[in-house]
Amino acid sequence: MVPHRGPHSRVFREVAALGRDLAELPDVVGAPVPAEVAILMDWDNWWAVSGAHLPAELDLLARLRDFYEPLWQLGVVADFVRPSDDLSKYRIVLAPNLYLLTASDADRITSYVDEGGTFLMGFFSGVVDEHDHVRVGGYPALLTDLMGLRIDEFLPQRDPLICTSELLGDFTADFWADELRATTAEAVATVSEGELAGTPVMLRNRFGEGTAWYVATKPEPAAMRALLAHVAVQAGVTASPQPEGVEVVRRGDLLFMINHRPEPTEVVVDGMHTDLLSGEKVSGVTDLPRYGVRVLR
């Protein structure tokens, strides 16, 4: 931040500007960022799924991004929580991967859905216990009834899969597929060509008062975004897509608008607001300069 040439640099000027901006925002300290969606992240699972003995090399952080980035693009705020945390306050819980799953966490997730929650889980989940011992009898083992399916074989993929769905249209996927049998789940998307034609890659299961979704492959980003947009609507979560690279987040009673791109853009604002950084009155269509920020009240 203070380079060899001293304060005459872009980075120094930007950091100094950030300090001035923060000084104008004392109300932000401690203000909550409300989230109706949770993404499960478990450190023991990360350790276990990183093993070299598995059928494919699974990058857990990449899987988290596969779920998080579409939410970010949809303008949906998400908390990262542990499977052992209280899930009841969230409308949707996403589990990009739960290769390692304890019995108590499986019970907590099952109860969450039974009581009306929406749960969406990615592939290669529910395989081992907390000691990294494989649970026998098919997968996702303790979540078999919840998900309404049983997986008999894992099918890592070298080539892309061509998939079709009445809900999402045609799309491509890669990296993974499962040989599975739906018991109470309904197929939402299937492979449409090749050796695996007819194999489900997305399934939905009604369970108790809630719904469980299973994604058995790695869909292309547009398909994953469309799926999460549909799940959000069904669960009553408001999505507010913005121009590419623009982030809009409410913290307390303040609305932050951040342009992460080097090009200026425009954002629609409902109602009349005051930009706390510039003092301007803002309503309707407002401009965001390159890398610009507005904080609206």
Side-chain angles (χ1 to χ4, degrees), residues 2-139:
V2 184
H4 289 277
R5 61 177 301 190
H8 306 291
S9 70
R10 176 182 57 83
V11 171
F12 183 88
R13 290 191 295 271
E14 289 179 351
V15 172
L18 175 61
R20 290 192 296 271
D21 289 346
L22 293 178
E24 297 295 323
L25 303 172
D27 294 346
V28 172
V29 178
V33 179
E36 297 181 299
V37 178
I39 300 177
L40 299 186
M41 170 63 186
D42 179 71
W43 294 97
D44 290 339
N45 177 62
W46 191 0
W47 162 78
V49 82
S50 301
H53 61 287
L54 304 181
E57 185 176 346
L58 194 149
D59 183 342
L60 183 61
L61 293 183
R63 294 296 299 141
L64 291 171
R65 287 192 294 270
D66 290 341
F67 281 62
Y68 177 79
E69 287 182 5
L71 290 179
W72 189 86
Q73 294 163 351
L74 292 167
V76 175
V77 175
D79 287 341
F80 282 85
V81 303
R82 296 165 296 189
S84 58
D85 290 336
D86 178 17
L87 307 178
S88 61
K89 66 179 180 178
Y90 299 103
R91 292 181 181 269
I92 302 173
V93 172
L94 306 176
N97 174 267
L98 284 178
Y99 169 74
L100 183 152
L101 181 65
T102 68
S104 59
D105 289 346
D107 288 343
R108 184 174 296 102
I109 292 169
T110 301
S111 296
Y112 163 78
V113 178
D114 188 38
E115 294 169 4
T118 298
F119 178 62
L120 191 151
M121 186 174 73
F123 56 79
F124 203 39
S125 293
V127 179
V128 301
D129 64 16
E130 62 269 31
H131 305 293
D132 204 16
H133 294 165
V134 172
R135 299 187 186 275
V136 298
Y139 310 102

Side-chain angles (χ1 to χ4, degrees), residues 15-296:
V15 172
L18 175 61
R20 290 192 296 271
D21 289 346
L22 293 178
E24 297 295 323
L25 303 172
D27 294 346
V28 172
V29 178
V33 179
E36 297 181 299
V37 178
I39 300 177
L40 299 186
M41 170 63 186
D42 179 71
W43 294 97
D44 290 339
N45 177 62
W46 191 0
W47 162 78
V49 82
S50 301
H53 61 287
L54 304 181
E57 185 176 346
L58 194 149
D59 183 342
L60 183 61
L61 293 183
R63 294 296 299 141
L64 291 171
R65 287 192 294 270
D66 290 341
F67 281 62
Y68 177 79
E69 287 182 5
L71 290 179
W72 189 86
Q73 294 163 351
L74 292 167
V76 175
V77 175
D79 287 341
F80 282 85
V81 303
R82 296 165 296 189
S84 58
D85 290 336
D86 178 17
L87 307 178
S88 61
K89 66 179 180 178
Y90 299 103
R91 292 181 181 269
I92 302 173
V93 172
L94 306 176
N97 174 267
L98 284 178
Y99 169 74
L100 183 152
L101 181 65
T102 68
S104 59
D105 289 346
D107 288 343
R108 184 174 296 102
I109 292 169
T110 301
S111 296
Y112 163 78
V113 178
D114 188 38
E115 294 169 4
T118 298
F119 178 62
L120 191 151
M121 186 174 73
F123 56 79
F124 203 39
S125 293
V127 179
V128 301
D129 64 16
E130 62 269 31
H131 305 293
D132 204 16
H133 294 165
V134 172
R135 299 187 186 275
V136 298
Y139 310 102
L142 300 180
L143 298 181
T144 296
D145 291 340
L146 171 64
M147 308 310 297
L149 56 88
R150 182 175 298 277
I151 298 165
D152 297 320
E153 296 286 347
F154 302 126
L155 304 174
Q157 298 295 301
R158 179 180 294 112
D159 300 318
L161 298 169
I162 309 301
C163 305
T164 188
S165 167
E166 290 187 9
L167 177 65
L168 307 174
D170 296 338
F171 62 93
T172 60
D174 59 22
F175 187 71
W176 196 274
D178 289 316
E179 183 178 307
L180 61 81
R181 293 176 286 116
T183 51
T184 56
E186 57 178 317
V188 174
T190 59
V191 180
S192 58
E193 298 180 15
E195 183 180 354
L196 297 181
T199 300
V201 289
M202 293 181 183
L203 300 97
R204 174 177 53 208
N205 189 50
R206 311 293 185 185
F207 186 89
E209 298 298 318
T211 306
W213 295 75
Y214 181 64
V215 182
T217 189
K218 183 179 178 295
E220 63 177 278
M224 194 65 185
R225 185 167 59 251
L227 173 64
L228 290 176
H230 173 80
V231 171
V233 169
Q234 295 299 305
V237 173
T238 301
S240 55
Q242 303 296 332
E244 183 179 358
V246 173
E247 183 175 10
V248 177
V249 176
R250 181 168 296 281
R251 182 164 185 172
D253 62 350
L254 302 181
L255 188 66
F256 285 74
M257 307 171 65
I258 306 171
N259 183 8
H260 293 278
R261 294 176 59 81
E263 301 86 18
T265 188
E266 293 181 335
V267 179
V268 177
V269 178
D270 294 330
M272 178 66 71
H273 297 74
T274 300
D275 182 358
L276 299 186
L277 300 181
S278 67
E280 297 178 48
K281 298 296 183 181
V282 175
S283 65
V285 178
T286 184
D287 64 292
L288 267 179
R290 63 190 302 268
Y291 302 125
V293 178
R294 287 189 181 275
V295 183
L296 305 184

